[in-house]
Amino acid sequence: MTLDLQHAAQRRMRRAVIALVAMVLVLVAALVVIAVRGDDSGNNKSPAATPTESATAGPGPAPVQTLPPDEGDYVAPAKYVALPDGADRVGELPVKFPHTPEGAAAMAVASSRNAWSFDPAKLKAGILAYSAAKYRDAMAASAGDGATGNREFAGVPATGAIPPGAALNAWPIGVKWSAKGSDTVNVMVLLRVTSVPKEGAEPKTTLVVVPARAVWESGDWKGDPTDPMPLPDPVDIGTPKFNEDGWMAIQEGNRL
């Protein structure tokens, strides 16, 4: 799998971020554009998270190992965090997370995973499940734009049928947070996003950092706008920088 970590991803991420940000808590910034930066120094490692269900019109990339093999240069994460599951489901999406910083991070991770899809209905479902009530309806109306942006990010035509074999998957591989009281938690989620534009094409993997703010609302964590902020360069798991930058590897239930 080719790991393509280019700063040029910023331009192609502009429209994809509309829906992604809505579901990963950066609701206002979605209308402006998040700076998503790639890093050329990442090693060609397998994702550390078990692959989630593909949002594809055909077969996605081949399954990968839970953790990369030890090839001599792999640096194990210094910290792992066990994120709780939601106590309930809205469709397939976990909700009703614990009123803890880990619960807030778990919601951010779940929402970010759901955001990478070609399907506007799936994006809208994530917005309705995870956005704060004040922004929910306006952001849900942007789901179609988000799906179009995701198609463009993956190199898929913006309109028409999804080509056979096209795929878009996100693996959250790291998280860190800062609690601002018991009801507000600022979160950053580190993702590996793998895309395939059509059958036979080589998969492309991009590292993405997404900021988030979780607020406790009506008995669950929901997404609230974040202030504009510089984002750290994304780094791959298994590298020294992953630990140096304070990322925690994610453990969700029986999934690493």
Side-chain angles (χ1 to χ4, degrees), residues 96-240:
K96 298 295 183 182
F97 293 95
H99 192 189
T100 63
E102 289 82 1
M107 188 276 289
V109 167
S111 60
S112 65
R113 179 185 290 116
N114 184 76
W116 297 86
S117 174
F118 299 138
D119 183 1
K122 182 175 181 178
L123 301 187
K124 184 176 181 179
I127 293 170
L128 296 176
Y130 298 122
S131 298
K134 182 176 180 180
Y135 308 97
R136 191 173 298 140
D137 291 343
M139 296 312 303
S142 73
D145 289 335
T148 299
N150 281 347
R151 289 168 65 125
E152 293 178 350
F153 173 81
V156 171
T159 59
I162 302 294
L168 183 63
N169 294 275
W171 291 279
I173 59 173
V175 67
K176 52 186 173 179
W177 66 78
S178 174
K180 304 298 181 182
S182 61
D183 293 339
T184 303
V185 180
N186 291 332
V187 185
M188 284 196 180
V189 181
L190 176 62
L191 301 162
R192 299 185 79 193
V193 181
T194 300
S195 59
V196 183
K198 60 183 178 179
E199 188 173 0
E202 190 172 11
K204 179 187 75 172
T205 298
T206 304
L207 298 178
V208 179
V209 173
V210 180
R213 176 175 294 154
V215 295
W216 189 252
E217 176 184 288
S218 301
D220 201 5
W221 290 107
K222 301 294 181 182
D224 210 38
T226 64
D227 299 321
M229 66 182 75
L231 299 180
D233 286 330
V235 295
D236 206 1
I237 195 168
T239 64

